[in-house]
Amino acid sequence: MKPWQHSDSNGACKKAPNDPRKSYFILSAGITPCISHQDKQYQKEDLQMITGNLQRLDMAMLPPPLLQLLSREECSHQNLLNKADGKYDIIDNTVFYLISSPVTADESSVKSEFHEHYLDIQVLLAGQEIIATSATISEPHEYKETKPDLIFVENDDITTRVMLEAGDFVIFYPGEVHRPTCQIDAPDRIKKAVFKVSKSWLANH
């Protein structure tokens, strides 16, 4: 088993406390994230997902519409943190976000999911969270929805684990499988925002 690592301000990776999981991709504002896997270190650019921190949006290389969205005053870390749990519309059922305060759980007890019509921007507002990912679904329309635009995946093979701290976000496009709200060492209550962005809206902006 490999220890998870993080980089200091000079970009050098350091060992962190041992953990039973194989690897983590750790995000943090102002540092260079790394992933440790089988004695090889990879920089953020080697991973096929968009990640960043609300305090450093300029470093995330976001598509312009998503950069404009997350740059809104309403979407600042502090403003989101102050909001009560619930749904908040930005553009009626096209762009909106959900505030929730779930309790993290062991990865084995959490289901993986993906979406067909909306992008997810998963933003951690308070606490720590692991989001595990697995292979992208190339034909999402062939799967049956559990709820509108929510499809669960059974027995998927985890390929990457992303550790988020307050202010970090990960973006998942339609078909990208993710398993959110996984615990670090023990269950813990967190607060997060999940932005839902219609893929048709994004394509037209």
Side-chain angles (χ1 to χ4, degrees):
M1 300 298 178
K2 303 299 176 185
W4 32 287
Q5 299 181 310
H6 65 89
S7 355
D8 60 19
S9 57
N10 297 318
C13 289
K14 294 182 176 180
K15 290 186 178 180
N18 287 333
D19 188 274
R21 306 210 192 283
K22 291 181 180 177
S23 59
Y24 291 107
F25 175 44
I26 301 180
L27 308 181
S28 183
I31 65 173
T32 305
C34 299
I35 182 170
S36 174
H37 181 64
Q38 294 181 347
D39 298 325
K40 184 175 182 181
Q41 293 171 0
Y42 299 88
Q43 297 302 313
K44 178 179 176 180
E45 294 76 22
D46 294 305
L47 298 178
Q48 303 301 308
M49 66 180 79
I50 298 177
T51 61
N53 186 282
L54 292 179
Q55 303 298 322
R56 298 300 304 271
L57 291 174
D58 57 316
M59 295 181 64
M61 295 184 292
L62 296 166
L66 299 186
L67 177 59
Q68 292 170 13
L69 170 64
L70 294 180
S71 297
R72 293 165 60 107
E73 181 64 24
E74 175 187 359
C75 301
S76 72
H77 186 185
Q78 191 59 50
N79 283 342
L80 292 171
L81 188 60
N82 290 339
K83 289 187 178 292
D85 289 4
K87 178 183 176 184
Y88 297 84
D89 279 312
I90 296 176
I91 302 172
D92 259 353
N93 289 320
T94 301
V95 180
F96 60 92
Y97 60 95
L98 307 167
I99 301 288
S100 64
S101 302
V103 175
T104 58
D106 187 82
E107 181 184 285
S108 63
S109 65
V110 182
K111 289 184 177 180
S112 292
E113 63 185 57
F114 70 92
H115 316 286
E116 181 181 358
H117 302 293
Y118 285 85
L119 287 72
D120 262 10
I121 307 177
Q122 301 245 349
V123 185
L124 187 63
L125 302 174
Q128 290 184 316
E129 173 191 17
I130 295 290
I131 299 182
T133 70
S134 54
T136 297
I137 302 296
S138 59
E139 301 290 341
H141 59 274
E142 295 182 356
Y143 289 75
K144 183 178 180 180
E145 295 179 332
T146 304
K147 295 180 180 179
D149 204 43
L150 175 62
I151 302 101
F152 288 118
V153 179
E154 302 287 346
N155 303 316
D156 55 318
D157 293 325
I158 299 302
T159 57
T160 305
R161 295 174 178 88
V162 185
M163 189 180 100
L164 288 81
E165 297 183 336
D168 292 336
F169 64 83
V170 186
I171 299 178
F172 296 101
Y173 279 75
E176 293 187 335
V177 180
H178 50 286
R179 189 180 301 187
T181 65
C182 298
Q183 68 188 43
I184 307 293
D185 296 314
D188 190 26
R189 187 168 298 281
I190 61 175
K191 186 167 186 175
K192 63 186 302 180
V194 179
F195 287 82
K196 309 291 288 188
V197 180
S198 166
K199 66 179 183 182
S200 59
W201 177 86
L202 183 61
N204 290 317
H205 286 76

